[in-house]
Amino acid sequence: MKGAGMTLIERILAKLQKVKQTGEHRWQACCPAHHDRNPSLSVTEGNDGRVLLHCFAGCSFEDICAALGLHLQDLFPGGGHGGTGAGQGRPTPVIRR
């Protein structure tokens, strides 16, 4: 089963091209939302395990997720589920534009 045993960040990085680690918990890659010859997508793993995406060419967060076949909740450990009520126990999404 592909993806079994992989961490959230590993599963997302596996969907990207020309991935290069630029620091602790930080990577650059080609943005899948536009024709990108030089990596313009910043990928960061937050302290809580969430994955943050930012395209320096200006692609929207929604377009990046759609190109990867992902939804917002897919960028959070456990798929954004957890807690006992609406908004409880969930990290606050950070969308950088």
Side-chain angles (χ1 to χ4, degrees):
M1 181 173 172
K2 188 175 180 181
M6 293 174 74
T7 65
L8 175 59
I9 190 71
E10 289 170 338
R11 288 192 306 270
I12 291 173
L13 291 173
K15 293 176 175 278
L16 299 169
Q17 301 294 316
K18 294 188 181 179
V19 176
K20 178 181 175 186
Q21 189 159 11
T22 59
E24 189 173 359
H25 306 285
R26 293 181 182 275
W27 296 264
Q28 286 285 123
C30 289
C31 178
H34 74 274
H35 182 67
D36 200 4
R37 283 187 255 158
N38 296 311
S40 63
L41 182 69
S42 171
V43 182
T44 304
E45 182 181 32
N47 292 336
D48 58 359
R50 75 178 117 175
V51 177
L52 308 174
L53 303 171
H54 174 74
C55 176
F56 288 99
C59 294
S60 73
F61 177 81
E62 293 83 2
D63 288 345
I64 297 166
C65 284
L68 291 172
L70 300 173
H71 300 280
L72 174 64
Q73 64 268 21
D74 296 329
L75 301 179
F76 295 91
H81 302 290
T84 56
Q88 293 181 352
R90 293 189 209 178
T92 302
V94 175
I95 300 173
R96 297 180 184 167
R97 294 190 180 189

